[in-house]
């Protein structure tokens, strides 16, 4: 199983069905916080919903859509993963979320940095993009901090849990870009 050690306390490891209880618990206990930006929260009502997500995600591994658990001191802190991977054009999108109590520690910045390296070196990707809701300042700070190029705004690009559509800021990094 693929593991990426960020430091002595934080590890990224591939998602497995054994992670479903921790993921569901995080969603269930932090619904209000997570639902601000994550539309799937309202549809995640039972552990079975989460298990279905995990199984579907694992099927997507073959396509290159890998999902990693962020474990901090062996505790579930959040998820980060690739989606909409296009192997022919060697491009992918990175999405992520953290439990509220793990915010502000640099965990996600380091996780994004590590997975970009992994995507470029191991998966031979040429482009990694990140889309963040315009109002989600904390999420947007990550690609900005890491020197991603802001390409523009995708108007009405995502429907939030409350049914409102939000604009998405699109950031990218190419394998050939100079890294901060």
């Amino acid at each position: 199983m693929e593991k990426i050690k960020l430091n002595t306390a934080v590890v990224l490891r591939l998602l497995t069905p054994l992670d479903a209880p921790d993921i569901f618990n995080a969603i269930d206990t932090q619904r209000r916080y997570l639902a601000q930006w994550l539309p799937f929260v309202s549809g995640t009502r039972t552990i079975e919903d989460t298990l279905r997500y995990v199984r579907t995600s694992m099927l997507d591994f073959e396509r290159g859509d890998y999902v990693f658990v962020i474990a901090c001191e062996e505790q579930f802190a959040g998820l980060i993963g690739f989606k909409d991977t296009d192997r022919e054009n060697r491009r992918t999108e990175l999405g992520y979320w953290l439990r509220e109590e793990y915010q502000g520690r640099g965990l996600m910045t380091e996780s994004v940095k590590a997975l970009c390296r992994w995507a470029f070196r191991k998966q031979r990707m040429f482009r990694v993009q990140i889309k963040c809701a315009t109002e989600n300042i904390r999420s947007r700070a990550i690609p900005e901090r890491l020197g991603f190029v802001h390409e523009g705004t995708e108007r009405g690009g995502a429907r939030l849990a409350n049914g409102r559509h939000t604009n998405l800021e699109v950031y990218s990094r190419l394998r050939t870009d100079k890294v901060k």
Side-chain angles (χ1 to χ4, degrees):
M1 181 162 120
E2 188 78 37
K3 281 188 181 182
I4 301 169
K5 189 173 182 178
L6 301 184
N7 56 47
T8 57
V10 183
V11 173
L12 305 179
R13 60 175 176 69
L14 283 175
L15 179 69
T16 75
L18 297 175
D19 296 309
D22 288 334
I23 296 167
F24 179 73
N25 181 56
I27 293 168
D28 199 42
T29 60
Q30 298 189 353
R31 283 188 184 281
R32 188 175 199 162
Y33 171 73
L34 294 172
Q36 294 174 79
W37 310 115
L38 304 172
F40 62 82
V41 170
S42 62
T44 305
R45 292 286 168 208
T46 66
I47 187 81
E48 288 76 25
D49 295 329
T50 303
L51 197 51
R52 195 169 21 264
Y53 161 76
V54 170
R55 287 184 180 134
T56 300
S57 294
M58 291 176 68
L59 291 174
D60 291 343
F61 285 3
E62 290 178 28
R63 236 187 23 237
D65 286 352
Y66 301 97
V67 177
F68 292 82
V69 167
I70 303 169
C72 182
E73 297 174 346
E74 299 184 21
Q75 299 298 309
F76 176 82
L79 293 178
I80 184 169
F82 299 104
K83 62 180 239 161
D84 301 327
T85 299
D86 176 350
R87 287 194 183 276
E88 184 174 330
N89 290 296
R90 301 203 179 279
R91 60 188 226 176
T92 191
E93 182 175 334
L94 200 52
Y96 45 80
W97 62 271
L98 273 178
R99 293 177 62 107
E100 188 171 19
E101 63 269 27
Y102 289 98
Q103 297 276 326
R105 298 185 191 184
L107 290 175
M108 196 55 77
T109 299
E110 290 305 310
S111 296
V112 169
K113 189 186 304 183
L115 281 191
C116 282
R117 273 194 310 268
W118 188 79
F120 292 140
R121 293 178 185 162
K122 298 254 185 174
Q123 298 300 305
R124 300 185 52 221
M125 290 291 137
F126 183 74
R127 174 188 168 92
V128 174
Q129 76 177 19
I130 295 174
K131 295 181 180 182
C132 305
T134 299
E135 300 90 3
N136 192 342
I137 304 303
R138 292 184 95 158
S139 188
R140 289 180 55 193
I142 294 164
E144 291 170 0
R145 189 178 302 121
L146 293 173
F148 278 63
V149 172
H150 180 249
E151 295 184 334
T153 303
E154 183 179 323
R155 296 181 317 127
R159 185 170 178 258
L160 299 177
N162 63 10
R164 180 178 68 86
H165 279 81
T166 186
N167 294 340
L168 298 175
E169 300 306 320
V170 180
Y171 299 89
S172 72
R173 173 177 287 165
L174 305 181
R175 182 187 324 171
T176 54
D177 288 344
K178 300 257 189 267
V179 178
K180 271 190 174 182

